[in-house]
Amino acid sequence: MSNGTLFDKVWQSHTVRTLPSGQTQLFIGLHLIHEVTSPQAFAMLRERGLEVMFPDRTVATVDHIVPTENQARPFLDSLAEEMIEELERNCKDNGIRFYNIGSGSQGIVHVIAPEQGLTQPGMTIACGDSHTSTHGAFGAIAFGIGTSQVRDVLASQTLALSKLKVRRIEVNGRLKPGVYAKDVILHIIRKLGVKGGVGYAYEYAGTTIEQMNMEERMTLCNMSIEGGARCGYVNPDQVTFDYLKDREFAPKGAAWDEAVAWWTSIRSDADATYDDVVVFDAATIAPTITWGITPGQGIAVTETVPTPEELGEDDRAIAAEAYQYMDLHPGQPIQGTKVDVCFVGSCTNGRITDLREAARFAQGRQVATGVKAFIVPGSERVKQQAEAEGLDQIFQAAGFEWREPGCSMCLAMNPDKLVGRQLSASSSNRNFKGRQGSSSGRTLLMSPAMVVAAAVTGHVFDVREWV
Amino acid sequence: MVSEVKAISGRAIPLVGNDIDTDRIIPARFLRCVTFDGLGAHAFADDRAQMQGQHPFDLPQFQGAEVLVVNGNFGCGSSREHAPQAIAKWGIQALIGESFAEIFLGNCVAMGIPCVTASGETVKAVQEAIAANPQTTVEIDLNTMQVRWHQTAAPIQMGEGARNMFLSGTWDACGQLVSQAPAIQATASQLPYLRWSTAVS
């Protein structure tokens, strides 16, 4: 059993009591909601005559269903319009802060909370979205929940939960140019598997992680859930504090000094004990790309699609399903695979540093003929910042479409969808069958730089050749 | 709202394969809704369309089944409760499998749908038995922690906390959680960050 880790300390400080079942009633410091997983929760509250217990600890935005081209209201999709209206009503009726389209602060829920300083070290954070693990980058314990649990948090600001084990994942050394946080997490999931993290919180540590900026740490923690871990976190350090300083919801004045002291005190102790420890060497990590239908089916861009013989027995059935669905053959190089659509965005890779890196490679180049390529900033603030830096001009000059913020084609609940068997190079987080809006559409996950390289060359291309 | 769940017994449906994610259980386009009504009809919509009537959820012999028998890492991916809601509205009252993704499992507990795990051999044996004879009754017993079918019984597992919630009828934790308002306030008052971030309110 873990002891002395940040996870243990935060769990302890948020424990209300032990429930008769043996589970913990855990206080949730920040609750984030959006239009997809909250309407039924509010309906359940109304049915039971319950009120929102801490309306000031819930913050809302709209992200999954928003169109990225025509955002005029009412939305052309009447179902999407109904969802946003329901959220507007629920927030108004319950006194919940709501960042709507055009507010200047709307965006993907896992982009806006950090950028405003709402996400802070030592908090417990819940949201009806599996990528809530993103907020762990700040040393928060953050996890996705379902709608019945959204109801529980609204009603009581607490959840009934069983404590997780803690696995320390250490990555040491310097990443090579052209290798990003996205490659690190795809590599980790490849090695530990898509269910390796079930029952665990992942603590990311080591010199590679320490050298990462906050947005890179968010990319890393974001995909913890793809490795089966409901939450992942990084211990807060000077990089975290520098990021938070002066953001509007960050503590100010004397409270800032008190905060830094408390944030420092909740770091995992040097002699903390873990349920498991795994170590990786950054130098061995290459640009990594998925070839199959789970985020664990990743290979280095220079590798070939694995043959059944190269895989463990447990992985062969899902690989066989993937060969057929992806129309890729065992032993085939992944480099050179022709792509149809290129998407940069999502809660994994839709932040300003992602767009800067993408623009760096797009500058002076052209999207290949026949490839549809588009950039979706993670929030209104990211979009505004990118435009202030002229990134939108670089992208448009290179033939990329420049869109409005939202989740977009990560999960394709809005009009951005693959068509038929199109193959997409995507900076998002899931390559599941049908994920990007076509029941036969195909997805290759990769870093934003690699997506740009694919857009320009028209096929999977090793971005290191441009570094 | 106390409703004890001690044992589920009924006909079962086999769904073979690892890593069946919640996008496959309920594709995102069906999440454009503000209630869970009608989701049952869309469970596994794309898989079913592609299998042209041969998906277990479409086969006549499995209609009316109450127990879903799956393999490893079932329900991985998105946290959407629409996935277990779709399965439940189709008629499933309990799941048995080799392993479940954590958020899916938590959603099922909160809905009163037990998910129990068993060894790969047991799951395979149950899947084969029901494929051979769809009239087979499968019983999941949370008291004895056994799955029984024909004359056979095998051990099953479930987290102790969740098991206690089912047996005592407290799987819907909402009332229990809300009843502790003073203790919740006391915990909140000890958290320094609630004092700092006054700007939220």
Side-chain angles (χ1 to χ4, degrees), chain B residues 77-171:
Chain B
S78 161
S79 65
R80 59 188 71 167
E81 189 171 307
H82 307 64
Q85 291 280 358
I87 289 172
K89 289 192 186 323
W90 189 84
I92 297 299
Q93 295 179 23
L95 288 85
I96 175 168
E98 291 176 55
S99 66
F100 295 90
E102 213 154 301
I103 302 177
F104 180 87
L105 190 73
N107 287 341
C108 286
V109 173
M111 291 168 55
I113 307 281
C115 296
V116 298
T117 57
S119 70
E121 295 73 41
T122 296
V123 169
K124 189 157 181 274
V126 177
Q127 286 176 333
E128 285 173 356
I130 52 184
N133 179 6
Q135 293 307 317
T136 303
T137 295
V138 174
E139 185 178 13
I140 291 173
D141 188 335
L142 301 184
N143 273 311
T144 61
M145 290 308 283
Q146 280 188 324
V147 54
R148 288 188 285 273
W149 73 100
H150 298 317
Q151 304 323 315
T152 317
I156 54 176
Q157 291 84 38
M158 173 181 261
E160 200 53 30
R163 178 173 174 247
N164 290 337
M165 291 170 102
F166 283 114
L167 291 177
S168 63
T170 56
W171 47 266

Side-chain angles (χ1 to χ4, degrees), chain A residues 13-17 19-21 23 25 27 29 36-37 39-40 44 48 50 53-54 56-57 59 65 77 79 82-83 86 97 118 120 122-124 128-130 144-149 151-152 155-156 158-160 164 194-195 198-200 225 228 230 248-249 251 255 258-259 262-263 294 314 318 321 411 413 430 432-433 435 439-440, chain B residues 1 16-24 27-36 39 46-47 49-50 72-73 76-82 85 98-103 106-107 109-111 160-162 164-165 168 170-181 183-185 187-188 190-201:
Chain A
S13 62
H14 289 75
T15 294
V16 174
R17 62 165 179 155
L19 293 161
S21 65
Q23 289 191 315
Q25 181 171 2
F27 186 82
V36 181
T37 57
Q40 298 87 347
M44 292 181 210
R48 297 179 187 203
L50 293 168
M53 193 179 274
F54 287 74
D56 59 336
R57 299 311 302 171
V59 174
I65 50 104
D77 177 352
L79 295 174
E82 190 184 353
M83 292 171 79
E86 188 80 7
R97 178 182 293 263
L118 284 162
Q120 295 171 16
M123 284 182 171
T124 47
D129 190 286
S130 61
I145 55 177
T147 295
S148 295
Q149 290 168 314
R151 169 202 67 203
D152 292 350
S156 73
T158 63
L159 284 169
L164 298 169
V194 289
K195 59 181 176 188
V198 173
Y200 285 93
I225 187 64
R230 196 171 187 178
E248 62 251 59
F249 291 107
E258 198 193 328
W262 187 66
W263 295 340
T294 81
D314 282 356
I318 191 85
E321 213 176 322
L411 86 167
M413 274 190 75
R430 290 190 172 132
F432 298 151
K433 286 181 173 180
R435 171 76 178 181
S439 61
S440 55
Chain B
M1 300 235 321
V16 177
N18 289 329
D19 304 318
I20 294 178
D21 58 77
T22 54
D23 274 85
R24 281 173 69 183
R29 63 183 180 279
F30 299 112
L31 273 49
R32 285 155 53 248
C33 55
V34 294
T35 73
F36 290 132
L39 286 178
D46 288 344
D47 284 2
Q50 268 158 19
N73 202 29
C76 59
S78 161
S79 65
R80 59 188 71 167
E81 189 171 307
H82 307 64
Q85 291 280 358
E98 291 176 55
S99 66
F100 295 90
E102 213 154 301
I103 302 177
N107 287 341
V109 173
M111 291 168 55
E160 200 53 30
N164 290 337
M165 291 170 102
S168 63
T170 56
W171 47 266
D172 182 339
C174 195
Q176 254 189 19
L177 297 174
V178 173
S179 72
Q180 297 296 310
I184 296 167
Q185 292 289 355
T187 302
Q190 297 299 311
L191 292 168
Y193 63 81
L194 294 185
R195 295 195 302 275
W196 303 327
S197 53
T198 48
V200 177
S201 53

